[in-house]
Amino acid sequence: MVAWEEEHGALVTGDIVLFNFDWSAHWGLRPNGAQYLRDWPGVAMDAAEYLIEKSVAAIGVDTISPDTHEAMRTNPIHPLVLEKQVLIIENLTNLDQLPDFFLFVALPLKIKGGSGSPVRAVAFV
């Protein structure tokens, strides 16, 4: 993360960080899209801790979860990130079409008593 910041610019409080793993290319209806649900990449614990230190507002990924399948069973970032009030946005697409910095908005549905929601994700470039 530090190397990325040195090349592209520093993250600041309130930023939303999106991870493009190029995984959305695997998305599709079953059975052809089954790969999307197997062995997806994720955000490492040290990266999550770094982003929390930087006081980011949210982490977004183009996978089903920011945790790998293995990490979900052993050492997930979900509890740590959510405890620190960092939002998680999953299943994004077209991240490869975005510049390094842009305005990102995720508009959730108001679901009474819900712990999550589908969002309308919009990038202004």
Side-chain angles (χ1 to χ4, degrees):
M1 303 278 331
V2 173
W4 187 93
E5 285 185 288
E6 287 174 357
E7 184 177 339
H8 301 279
L11 297 173
V12 297
T13 298
D15 275 351
I16 297 172
V17 177
L18 305 181
F19 288 87
N20 178 23
F21 296 112
D22 290 324
W23 202 251
S24 62
H26 297 294
W27 191 93
L29 300 176
R30 287 191 231 176
N32 298 338
Q35 175 61 37
Y36 186 76
L37 302 174
R38 289 194 306 264
D39 301 321
W40 62 87
V43 179
M45 182 60 75
D46 60 341
E49 290 169 342
Y50 181 81
L51 294 172
I52 289 168
E53 288 176 18
K54 295 294 252 179
S55 299
V56 301
I59 296 171
V61 293
D62 64 346
T63 59
I64 194 168
S65 171
D67 290 301
T68 65
H69 189 271
E70 178 64 24
M72 290 175 81
R73 294 192 320 264
T74 59
N75 192 23
I77 70 165
H78 258 88
L80 174 69
V81 169
L82 294 176
E83 175 185 301
K84 299 299 185 180
Q85 301 295 307
V86 176
L87 299 176
I88 297 172
I89 306 162
E90 302 162 333
N91 297 308
L92 294 169
T93 190
N94 297 322
L95 298 180
D96 60 325
Q97 298 178 28
L98 299 172
D100 292 340
F101 289 92
F102 52 92
L103 177 60
F104 178 79
V105 178
L107 305 167
L109 299 173
K110 289 185 175 183
I111 300 176
K112 185 175 182 178
S115 63
S117 168
V119 302
R120 171 72 65 172
V122 181
F124 296 92
V125 294

